[in-house]
Amino acid sequence: MKKYDQCLDQELLIKIRSGDDEAMEYLMEKYRGLVRTEARKFFLTGGDEEDLIQEGMIGLFKAVRSYQEERDAAFSTFATICVRRQIYSTVTASNRKKHGPLNNYISIFGSFTEENGKLNEVLEDSLENPEELLLRKEKIRNYYDIINEKLSDYEKQVMEHYLNGDDYTQIAKKLGRTDKSIDNAIQRIRRKLNQDS
C-alpha cells in the first residue's frame, strides 16, 4: 500500500474507478481518522462510537462513488459532508424509533398489594385460570422486588419517565440532567435487569 503514499486523492479516485481495490482500501484507511473525528461529535442513543464510525465509513464509501471532479470542491471537503450527513441521518432515524412509547407497560412505582389498580388492570384482562393468575401476580411481584433491589432511586425515576413514553431529552429536562446521563442510566437499567431475566 506504500505505492499509494504519493498519490493525490484525485489519482486514487481514478484508480478506484478503474477497478483498483487496493486504492479503495488505501483511501478508506486514509480517511478513517476523519470519520472517527466526525463520529465523536454525535451521540447515538443505544449505540456506541463504533456504530457511528461504521455509518461514517458508509458515508465515505458513498462519497467515493458519487464524487465529481468537475465540481469546485476538493474530495476531502465532499467526503466530510457525506460522512457527517450519513452519521446525522442515522442518529436522527435512531431517535425517532427509539423514543416511541412502549405498547404495554406496568407502573413500577405503585404499591404491590392486590388493590393496586394498575396491577389488577393487567391481570384482569387475562382469561387465565386462578392458578395461572396467582403465578403471574407472583412473577410481577418478583420483578418489582428485583427493580427495587437493583436500581437506584435515580434509575427508577428515569425508568418511570421512559416507560411513560418520554424521550431522553424530555427526561433530561424533567430531572435536570443531560441526555447522555439519561442514556447511561437506561443502559445501566437494561444491564441490571437483564442479569436476572
Side-chain angles (χ1 to χ4, degrees), residues 101-125:
L102 300 176
N103 291 332
N104 299 308
Y105 67 89
I106 301 168
S107 172
I108 61 172
F109 297 106
S111 67
F112 303 121
T113 64
E114 290 185 29
E115 291 78 34
N116 180 322
K118 292 207 184 235
L119 183 59
N120 281 337
E121 282 173 23
V122 171
L123 298 172
E124 284 171 0
D125 288 342

Side-chain angles (χ1 to χ4, degrees), residues 5 36 52 55 154:
D5 286 347
R36 237 176 236 293
L52 291 175
E55 287 299 323
Y154 171 64

Side-chain angles (χ1 to χ4, degrees), residues 105-166:
Y105 67 89
I106 301 168
S107 172
I108 61 172
F109 297 106
S111 67
F112 303 121
T113 64
E114 290 185 29
E115 291 78 34
N116 180 322
K118 292 207 184 235
L119 183 59
N120 281 337
E121 282 173 23
V122 171
L123 298 172
E124 284 171 0
D125 288 342
S126 172
L127 297 174
E128 300 170 45
N129 67 42
E131 182 183 29
E132 288 174 12
L133 203 56
L134 188 60
L135 290 172
R136 191 165 175 200
K137 283 183 181 182
E138 188 61 36
K139 189 174 184 179
I140 292 172
R141 281 193 197 100
N142 288 340
Y143 195 68
Y144 281 175
D145 290 341
I146 289 168
I147 290 170
N148 279 329
E149 179 184 315
K150 300 276 184 186
L151 302 186
S152 69
D153 290 342
Y154 171 64
E155 289 166 343
K156 289 177 197 172
Q157 287 178 318
V158 170
M159 186 172 175
E160 181 174 41
H161 288 296
Y162 186 71
L163 292 177
N164 283 329
D166 291 341

Side-chain angles (χ1 to χ4, degrees), residues 9-10 13 17 31 63 66-82:
D9 289 346
Q10 305 294 359
L13 289 166
R17 291 193 178 125
Y31 280 92
S66 59
Y67 178 71
Q68 297 172 5
E69 292 85 0
E70 56 273 8
R71 303 278 172 130
D72 289 332
F75 175 75
S76 59
T77 304
F78 183 71
T80 302
I81 292 168
C82 290

Side-chain angles (χ1 to χ4, degrees), residues 9-10 12-14 16-17 23-24 27-28 31-32 34-35 38 54-71 73-87:
D9 289 346
Q10 305 294 359
L12 288 169
L13 289 166
I14 292 167
I16 290 167
R17 291 193 178 125
M24 175 64 130
L27 188 67
M28 296 295 275
Y31 280 92
R32 185 176 286 279
L34 167 98
V35 171
E38 290 300 319
Q54 286 178 0
E55 287 299 323
M57 293 303 282
I58 291 169
L60 178 58
F61 181 77
K62 288 178 179 178
V64 170
R65 292 291 179 213
S66 59
Y67 178 71
Q68 297 172 5
E69 292 85 0
E70 56 273 8
R71 303 278 172 130
F75 175 75
S76 59
T77 304
F78 183 71
T80 302
I81 292 168
C82 290
V83 166
R84 195 175 290 156
R85 280 184 184 159
Q86 182 71 30
I87 294 172

